[in-house]
Amino acid sequence: MGAYKRIGILTSGGDCAGLNAVIRAVVHRASTYNWDVWGIQQATKGLMARPPQVVPLEPTEVDTLLTMGGTILGTTNKGNPFAYPMSDGSLSDRSNEIIEGYHLLGLDAMIGIGGDGSLAILRRLAQQGGINLVGIPKTIDNDIGITERAIGFDTAVNIATEALDRLHFTAASHSRVMILEVMGRDAGHIAISAGIAGGADVILIPEIPYTVESICQKLRSRQERGQNFCLIVVAEAVRTESGEPVTHQDADGTRRFEGIGHYLAERISACSGAETRVTVLGHVQRGGIPSPLDRLTAAAFGVAAVDLIAEEKYDHMVTWQNRQVVSVPIAEAIAQYSTVDPNGTLVKTARGLDICLGS
Ligand code: F6P
């Protein structure tokens, strides 16, 4: 048994199902080493606060976390500490406050659960301030290329697939074209996976250009076979036919992908005469009970992350590769952004099933 350690854990970036299950696994594994785990609240903001905002996490208190959505620690996908928005509108580098917060707490190591953006920021802080960092990948977008699994993706695909299952029958009853807009940021992983699993007739992803005419042709060929309805799944980052991103501006000025479903609905109605309806699935994909696979991944990643700390193998991220959990340098992990491979298995599968990919 190695020396006693006090570990900090934080969640950073957009939430997703399975974050709490990771926290639970980390606390349980750390307790087998007789180490303490402190939960850092609101991502790095908890380390910026004075006193730093942390909660002790006891193994006897974390069992309900297995199935709980969201993150009990809170999170944020705003406020880069190297260019932190201040109340007077200026941007300030507050990285040293975060680093000081880590050292004030007497932490021996920190586990950061995040996507590529969060892990890049955490790594920069770690390098600058001697933080012993271990990363755990989470993202419903599944765009961290080096790992085959990231926490939250499977649940998001399950939710999007269930949405297609439900839309199928109402589409058939009314002979309508149902368009389901799903998240995924610049990658079409959720769309292609849920589209195949949910029996979509058309799947549009940012990685493959499309024409509205090809979708209308698909509608016509279905009609010729007596199928008067159609299920379309579209990834949020799919652009207009002329290549413009479709976004929505929030009150604070932030632009998010949203609206491609409605754009397509208008054009498909115009070219085919079909009655269209749009469902924007949105943050439903991030909430709720994690799927069994996400819980399993959370357990394996949580245990492996604590074991990396026991080995003092810092600056590494746990990773799922070839049916194993291994570790890779965080720098290597975040360098490989993954989009859907237009020549990959899922695209071939979709084409093999005569699913229209818009081209
Ligand atoms: O990265 C996860 C994600 O859910 C994306 O799929 C989506 O584009 C974005 O976050 C939404 O962000 P927000 O939570 O700020 O609305």
Side-chain angles (χ1 to χ4, degrees):
M1 181 74 60
Y4 168 81
K5 290 191 197 299
R6 178 182 298 153
I7 307 176
I9 182 167
L10 59 77
T11 47
S12 181
D15 77 329
C16 61
L19 294 176
N20 283 325
V22 177
I23 296 168
R24 172 184 177 273
V26 164
V27 172
H28 277 305
R29 183 57 174 154
S31 78
T32 67
Y33 290 99
N34 288 322
W35 296 347
D36 288 318
V37 181
W38 287 3
I40 299 162
Q41 293 176 318
Q42 300 296 331
T44 50
K45 275 192 196 168
L47 293 175
M48 220 183 258
R50 293 294 174 273
Q53 299 293 294
V54 287
V55 280
L57 296 167
E58 301 294 338
T60 49
E61 290 167 8
V62 293
D63 277 340
T64 52
L65 297 186
L66 184 59
T67 54
M68 193 189 286
T71 161
I72 55 159
L73 299 176
T75 188
T76 177
N77 58 4
K78 295 198 173 72
N80 177 350
F82 293 95
Y84 196 82
M86 305 300 282
S87 49
D88 64 1
S90 64
L91 295 177
S92 171
D93 181 350
R94 301 190 63 182
S95 54
N96 283 333
E97 293 166 60
I98 292 168
I99 291 162
E100 186 189 63
Y102 169 90
H103 292 295
L104 279 175
L105 291 169
L107 296 177
D108 297 293
M110 184 169 86
I111 294 177
I113 313 169
D116 57 345
S118 298
L119 290 172
I121 289 172
L122 292 174
R123 176 163 198 268
R124 195 171 156 195
L125 289 165
Q127 299 285 299
Q128 182 177 316
I131 295 174
N132 292 326
L133 177 68
V134 166
I136 297 183
K138 69 87 211 166
T139 163
I140 66 163
D141 306 334
N142 205 25
D143 51 6
I144 303 177
I146 209 152
T147 183
E148 288 155 15
R149 292 189 196 172
I151 305 294
F153 174 67
D154 186 65
T155 307
V157 170
N158 283 358
I159 293 167
T161 304
E162 187 189 333
L164 285 169
D165 293 344
R166 289 171 188 265
L167 289 171
H168 190 148
F169 295 103
T170 175
S173 304
H174 284 267
S175 302
R176 282 174 172 161
V177 173
M178 289 293 187
I179 301 174
L180 178 70
E181 180 179 317
V182 298
M183 282 185 165
R185 204 153 267 168
D186 296 304
H189 295 294
I190 297 177
I192 191 121
S193 300
I196 293 170
D201 306 297
V202 179
I203 302 173
L204 302 179
I205 56 174
E207 295 85 349
I208 298 181
Y210 72 96
T211 61
V212 172
E213 178 47 32
S214 73
I215 302 168
C216 291
Q217 266 175 26
K218 177 72 177 177
L219 296 187
R220 286 193 288 275
S221 74
R222 282 178 59 77
Q223 276 160 358
E224 280 159 18
R225 296 200 308 245
Q227 294 168 300
N228 289 327
F229 70 97
C230 185
L231 275 185
I232 300 179
V233 55
V234 58
E236 61 179 0
V238 167
R239 296 179 171 227
T240 65
E241 269 192 298
S242 54
E244 301 300 317
V246 185
T247 58
H248 170 84
Q249 185 162 8
D250 291 331
D252 66 0
T254 313
R255 284 214 159 269
R256 281 184 296 108
F257 290 122
E258 192 177 304
I260 185 65
H262 285 98
Y263 165 88
L264 288 170
E266 271 180 31
R267 273 141 192 95
I268 291 169
S269 290
C271 87
S272 68
E275 192 177 21
T276 53
R277 291 289 186 272
V278 181
T279 302
V280 181
L281 204 49
H283 295 78
V284 170
Q285 292 156 98
R286 298 220 312 236
I289 299 174
S291 68
L293 183 59
D294 270 332
R295 294 185 215 177
L296 181 66
T297 309
F301 278 174
V303 167
V306 176
D307 289 347
L308 281 182
I309 294 172
E311 291 169 42
E312 305 200 336
K313 195 171 176 188
Y314 303 121
D315 199 21
H316 275 65
M317 184 188 87
V318 295
T319 306
W320 203 289
Q321 282 176 353
N322 303 320
R323 304 170 81 97
Q324 304 289 331
V325 177
V326 294
S327 71
V328 290
I330 296 177
E332 207 179 294
I334 57 183
Q336 292 187 33
Y337 185 77
S338 141
T339 52
V340 175
D341 177 358
N343 301 310
T345 297
L346 293 190
V347 170
K348 281 186 189 151
T349 302
R351 291 198 196 285
L353 293 171
D354 199 25
I355 296 171
C356 168
L357 296 175
S359 52

